[in-house]
């Protein structure tokens, strides 16, 4: 068993800020992961190619998902995996199939609500537009207009003073359509604008997956800058920490496991897609890795039986203005280290033996950890953890980082927690 002295510090959180800024969509997030993996000597393998059983770092990209793994020299076909699981998607406003709309002299972009955003947090923010364009020739291009382009303007207080008594009421269809200019609506306007942005000929874009993002960069916040404010920390914080941990683990000698990062798309709407945690992607990659090393079905079963997944996602730090919403004896603090998430009704996959695995990793890393359980009177959220456990029969533990304002366009966490998480993940991957 190797020991893992803490490796990551404030520089990790600085790097997280760059990662968040460079990753306004799941497609950009996996490109940001791939860039870091390539720098560390990992190489991309295509799912359509035959795979070989060579050692070293490899990764598969599929849409907004990535699975990366490192095969140590001399790994047996039945060597178990140690997986960090996370998701690349975040709630936001996404462009509809017929985007060009408007009224009363305003040009607008028609959007659909993705996942469960705090809608109020999207009002009166300068928004950019990013995502993936599919071209006539079958290729895809990433696009990121990272300047003030759109805005969902809030109604003036003078027009509805009832919000003081009733609270803000937002209709997802009527009230969330951003403006992006003046003049008459012109069909094809938005896509033509993006074609011009990328220097493409008119009509070259035949499909799109586009979403809005706040263009305000992440920032350290507070008297002593011990907080971090930024977009998409749920759950790019875990994707980034998992990537850093995999790269660090790949540099260790004598790994008893095959370390893996699995970052899925579509967690925010239930994970049921070819790139979601409820799809076959992870199982397919792990199996092919076993078979590429000459393994049999028996080796696959042995490897899976010894595998553990840490499903890392954000959780709820205790909110000073709403502390009663938490269980009174489980009050995770920002800056207090990663959280272990427990729900006996399997909204989280953690059990006592999983706790022991995570506790051992944190101890080796010298990282404190905290426990989260929902107040019995509150519904509990869920993660990719129970899905991964059930779909692949892999022992899974739900962990993460406690934040405030989950699903806001701009979330808040302790600036130390991202690197405390990364240190715990390295110790876990190294076994
Ligand atoms: Zn999440």
């Amino acid at each position: 068993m190797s020991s893992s002295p803490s490796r990551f510090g404030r520089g990790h959180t600085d790097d997280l800020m760059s990662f968040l800024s460079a990753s306004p969509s799941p497609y950009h997030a996996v490109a940001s992961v791939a860039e870091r993996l390539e720098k560390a000597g990992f190489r991309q393998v295509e799912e359509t190619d035959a795979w070989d059983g060579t050692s070293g770092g490899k990764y598969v990209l599929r849409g907004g998902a990535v699975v990366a793994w490192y095969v140590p020299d001399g790994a047996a076909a039945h060597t178990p995996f140690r997986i960090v699981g996370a998701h690349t998607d975040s709630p936001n406003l996404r462009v509809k199939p017929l985007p060009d709309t408007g009224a009363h002299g305003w040009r607008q972009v028609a959007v659909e609500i993705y996942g469960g955003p705090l809608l109020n947090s999207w009002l009166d923010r300068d928004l950019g537009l990013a995502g993936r364009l599919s071209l006539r020739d079958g290729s895809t291009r990433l696009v990121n207009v990272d300047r003030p382009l759109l805005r969902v303007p809030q109604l003036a207080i003078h027009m509805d003073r009832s919000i003081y008594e009733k609270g803000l009421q937002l209709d997802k269809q009527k009230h969330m359509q951003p403006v992006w200019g003046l003049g008459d609506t012109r069909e094809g306007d938005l896509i033509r604008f993006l074609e011009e942005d990328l220097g493409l000929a008119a009509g070259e874009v035949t499909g799109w997956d586009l979403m809005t993002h706040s263009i305000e960069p992440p920032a350290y916040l507070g008297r002593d800058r011990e907080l971090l404010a930024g977009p998409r920390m749920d759950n790019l914080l875990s994707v980034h920490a998992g990537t850093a941990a995999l790269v660090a683990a790949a540099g260790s000698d004598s790994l008893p496991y095959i370390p893996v990062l699995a970052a899925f798309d579509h967690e925010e709407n239930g994970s049921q897609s070819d790139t979601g945690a409820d799809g076959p992607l992870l199982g397919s990659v792990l199996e092919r890795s076993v078979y590429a090393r000459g393994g049999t079905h028996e080796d696959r079963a042995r490897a899976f039986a010894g595998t553990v997944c840490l499903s890392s996602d954000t959780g709820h730090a205790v909110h000073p203005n709403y502390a009663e919403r938490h269980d009174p004896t489980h009050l995770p603090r920002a800056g207090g280290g990663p959280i272990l998430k427990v729900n006996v009704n399997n909204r989280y996959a953690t059990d006592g033996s999983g706790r022991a695995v995570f506790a051992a990793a944190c101890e080796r890393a010298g990282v404190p950890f905290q426990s989260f359980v929902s107040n019995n009177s509150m519904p509990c959220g869920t993660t990719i953890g129970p899905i991964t456990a059930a779909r692949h029969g892999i022992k899974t533990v739900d962990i993460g980082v406690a934040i405030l304002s989950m699903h806001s366009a701009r979330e808040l966490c302790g600036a130390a927690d991202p690197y405390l998480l990364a240190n715990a993940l390295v110790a876990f991957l190294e076994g």
Side-chain angles (χ1 to χ4, degrees), residues 91-102:
N92 56 20
L93 313 178
R94 299 200 173 183
V95 172
K96 285 184 173 177
L98 300 172
D100 304 293
T101 182

Side-chain angles (χ1 to χ4, degrees), residues 280-300:
L281 179 61
L282 175 63
S284 163
V285 168
L286 300 186
E287 279 177 353
R288 291 183 69 177
S289 161
V290 169
Y291 298 144
R293 280 174 284 125
T296 60
H297 192 70
E298 175 76 356
D299 291 313
R300 177 234 181 257

Side-chain angles (χ1 to χ4, degrees), residues 33-323:
V33 170
E35 188 189 319
R36 281 162 171 76
L37 293 174
E38 289 281 345
K39 255 186 216 156
F42 284 62
R43 64 183 172 81
Q44 185 176 359
V45 292
E46 298 292 340
E47 290 188 89
T48 46
D49 287 349
W51 290 9
D52 63 43
T54 52
S55 55
K58 305 175 189 196
Y59 65 97
V60 164
L61 293 183
R62 191 196 280 191
V66 55
V67 180
W69 67 103
Y70 179 81
V71 181
D73 283 333
H78 62 265
T79 299
F81 302 92
R82 282 239 158 162
I83 304 165
V84 172
H87 67 88
T88 59
D89 60 319
S90 302
N92 56 20
L93 313 178
R94 299 200 173 183
V95 172
K96 285 184 173 177
L98 300 172
D100 304 293
T101 182
H104 308 291
W106 293 96
R107 281 151 78 180
Q108 292 176 279
V109 173
V111 295
E112 197 176 357
I113 312 295
Y114 179 82
L118 285 169
L119 292 177
N120 60 295
S121 72
W122 287 85
L123 303 176
D124 295 345
R125 273 180 202 276
D126 298 344
L127 304 174
L129 191 68
R132 180 179 66 173
L133 299 174
S134 299
L135 309 189
R136 190 173 290 282
D137 65 4
S139 64
T140 55
R141 287 277 295 270
L142 295 184
V143 62
N144 182 9
V145 183
D146 200 26
R147 68 164 175 90
L149 184 69
L150 308 119
R151 181 175 168 118
V152 186
Q154 187 170 356
L155 184 66
I157 185 66
H158 316 79
M159 303 287 202
D160 183 10
R161 291 188 192 274
S162 74
I163 68 169
Y164 286 131
E165 294 80 45
K166 292 194 304 197
L168 179 62
Q169 311 274 318
L170 291 171
D171 181 294
K172 287 179 184 172
Q173 177 64 25
K174 279 172 68 183
H175 300 148
M176 298 307 295
Q177 308 303 318
V179 299
W180 78 306
L182 298 172
D184 295 334
T185 304
R186 292 193 300 253
E187 201 185 316
D189 200 14
L190 180 76
I191 298 306
R192 186 70 205 110
F193 167 79
L194 295 174
E195 285 169 341
E196 279 167 12
D197 189 72
L198 290 178
L200 298 168
E204 239 179 292
V205 171
T206 50
W208 54 89
D209 302 280
L210 295 166
M211 58 203 76
T212 58
H213 65 276
S214 166
I215 58 152
E216 189 181 2
Y220 288 116
L221 185 144
R223 179 187 177 280
D224 298 316
R225 297 183 169 81
E226 75 251 79
L227 298 169
L228 175 68
R232 302 178 293 284
M233 289 200 267
D234 176 8
N235 187 20
L236 294 185
L237 189 158
S238 297
V239 174
H240 174 257
T243 305
L246 175 62
V247 166
S252 323
D253 327 317
S254 66
L255 289 167
Y257 304 102
I258 294 173
V260 180
L261 168 72
F264 301 101
D265 200 352
H266 302 133
E267 190 273 348
E268 298 293 355
N269 58 13
S271 296
Q272 288 188 316
S273 75
D274 65 330
T275 51
D278 208 7
L281 179 61
L282 175 63
S284 163
V285 168
L286 300 186
E287 279 177 353
R288 291 183 69 177
S289 161
V290 169
Y291 298 144
R293 280 174 284 125
T296 60
H297 192 70
E298 175 76 356
D299 291 313
R300 177 234 181 257
R302 292 176 68 191
F304 275 48
T307 292
V308 183
C309 173
L310 285 189
S311 156
S312 182
D313 204 342
T314 50
H316 304 295
V318 60
H319 193 305
N321 302 342
Y322 301 88

